[in-house]
Amino acid sequence: DTLWDLAIAEVEKRESPDDDGKRMEVWEKSVLFVGNKNGGKTTIILRCLEREEIPKPTLALEYTFGRRARRHNTPKDIAHFWELGGGTSLLELIRIPITINNVRSFAVVLVLDLSKPNELWTTMEKLLQVTRNHVNKILTKLEKTNPKVATEIKQRMQNNLQRDHPDYELVDPFPIPLVIIGSKYDIFHEFDSEMRKIISKTLRFVSHYYGASLVFTSKSEALLLKARALINHLAFGYDKSKSVSVDHSKPLFIPAGLDSLSQIGPPPASDSDIGKMRANTPLELWKKVFEKTFPPKSFCDLQDTKDPAQDLQYAEYEVDVMRAQKNQELEQYKRNSSKSWKEMDLDSD
């Protein structure tokens, strides 16, 4: 089906009544996948959509969709899947899929590569910060144009924790539904047990603090199914799993609202070390403790970004010939400009 086919079908479904004489509402949600470069985002999306394809590197911002029927002879619900490539180098593209028109039905999946702990916090912080700032700007506009919807969105996130939960006043929920996926668990499982414990506890705290769900996955079919269950809940409204796994020696699986600060425990550092760390918020304290064990790598994502024009899978003879010609003209222009500057008489009388 093309997008036009989907649009026509959706209008027809909304205009035609179901068996009870009532119009059947089509469920339409959007999910944005962000995270580490080569972290496994595409693999997870393909698995969710049950597509047997070989994953290809994501170029900038890519889109696909899935359709599911809730029951026999009912309209198919639609889920829009967006994937941001480039790790943290293309942050400005986040504002394209999340708009004032769809923020009410939007969710975010953050995929973190567990095999690269030194990149973990920086990647997580940058992506969540930019996404949150963008969504908050949208909510500020909504408060003026449609305050009812803005209040509904904020209240929905607060409801991830019951009001009688001991941490209700201590957390700061993300403005839209969030799932954090720790990928490449098979490599992570080979880490030293103390390293695994620090990473697991930290991600448990961050997920709980933001009102997010947390799951560890790998290429294992059983683990992919758990991640798929959480994503299907966001995308198609499937029932939310109530099973929980908090054992640090096993893959974590913690749906939003089912963890607590008392179960997670304090940051994995001695009291004397914690006393020396100046932190204004619990999140900042956990960051300092985590980065003491896993110092962030000093790297520039922009320098790592490969030029898609040099990628053979996008080769087009006519386009490539013209590009080469323009590159030659540009180099000639640079050389001529350089000569003209050198020949100028810059001495003042």
Side-chain angles (χ1 to χ4, degrees), residues 117-132:
N118 298 87
E119 297 178 19
L120 193 149
W121 191 283
T122 303
T123 300
M124 173 176 66
E125 185 176 55
K126 285 183 178 179
L127 289 168
L128 291 185
Q129 190 175 53
V130 171
T131 306
R132 184 169 204 155

Side-chain angles (χ1 to χ4, degrees), residues 165 167 171 197-210 212 214 246 248 252 254 258-268 286:
H165 194 290
D167 304 333
V171 298
K197 183 177 180 181
I198 293 171
I199 296 170
S200 297
K201 285 189 69 170
T202 301
L203 287 179
R204 280 182 66 186
F205 172 80
V206 171
S207 299
H208 183 60
Y209 186 77
Y210 283 134
L214 175 65
V246 296
H248 297 141
L252 298 181
I254 312 171
L258 298 185
D259 210 343
S260 69
L261 295 176
S262 60
Q263 291 182 66
I264 297 169
W286 277 84

Side-chain angles (χ1 to χ4, degrees), residues 9-40:
E10 183 180 348
V11 171
E12 289 175 348
K13 289 169 201 165
R14 289 180 176 177
E15 291 179 348
S16 60
D18 62 8
D19 296 338
D20 300 324
K22 299 177 183 178
R23 288 184 181 179
M24 188 70 181
E25 185 179 353
V26 175
W27 175 291
E28 190 167 352
K29 299 286 184 179
S30 299
V31 184
L32 172 64
F33 287 75
V34 297
N36 291 94
K37 279 186 276 189
N38 303 314

Side-chain angles (χ1 to χ4, degrees), residues 82-99:
W82 296 86
E83 181 184 357
L84 181 70
T88 59
S89 66
L90 300 169
L91 293 171
E92 69 277 5
L93 295 181
I94 285 175
R95 60 187 173 83
I96 293 175
I98 310 177
T99 68

Side-chain angles (χ1 to χ4, degrees), residues 5 8 20 35 58 67-68 141 190 198 202 241 249 261 291:
D5 293 331
I8 293 168
D20 300 324
T58 302
R67 303 175 71 199
R68 300 274 169 83
K141 291 180 182 176
E190 302 299 320
I198 293 171
T202 301
S241 174
S249 64
L261 295 176
E291 292 188 340

Side-chain angles (χ1 to χ4, degrees), residues 16-87:
S16 60
D18 62 8
D19 296 338
D20 300 324
K22 299 177 183 178
R23 288 184 181 179
M24 188 70 181
E25 185 179 353
V26 175
W27 175 291
E28 190 167 352
K29 299 286 184 179
S30 299
V31 184
L32 172 64
F33 287 75
V34 297
N36 291 94
K37 279 186 276 189
N38 303 314
K41 299 184 292 295
T42 306
T43 300
I44 293 169
I45 292 173
L46 291 175
R47 188 64 192 86
C48 287
L49 297 175
E50 298 180 356
R51 292 182 187 168
E52 299 295 331
E53 300 174 23
I54 298 174
K56 295 180 180 178
T58 302
L59 182 65
L61 183 68
E62 296 193 1
Y63 167 82
T64 188
F65 66 91
R67 303 175 71 199
R68 300 274 169 83
R70 273 174 268 183
R71 57 180 186 271
H72 187 59
N73 286 336
T74 60
K76 287 186 177 181
D77 296 324
I78 304 167
H80 306 281
F81 289 88
W82 296 86
E83 181 184 357
L84 181 70

Side-chain angles (χ1 to χ4, degrees), residues 290-307:
F290 183 83
E291 292 188 340
K292 185 179 179 183
T293 305
F294 303 105
K297 288 177 68 175
S298 57
F299 64 94
C300 178
D301 281 318
L302 290 172
Q303 292 177 347
D304 289 345
T305 304
K306 294 180 181 177
D307 183 356

Side-chain angles (χ1 to χ4, degrees), residues 259-282:
D259 210 343
S260 69
L261 295 176
S262 60
Q263 291 182 66
I264 297 169
S270 66
D271 292 341
S272 60
D273 284 344
I274 290 177
K276 296 173 186 175
M277 296 176 182
R278 295 181 179 180
N280 297 319
T281 65

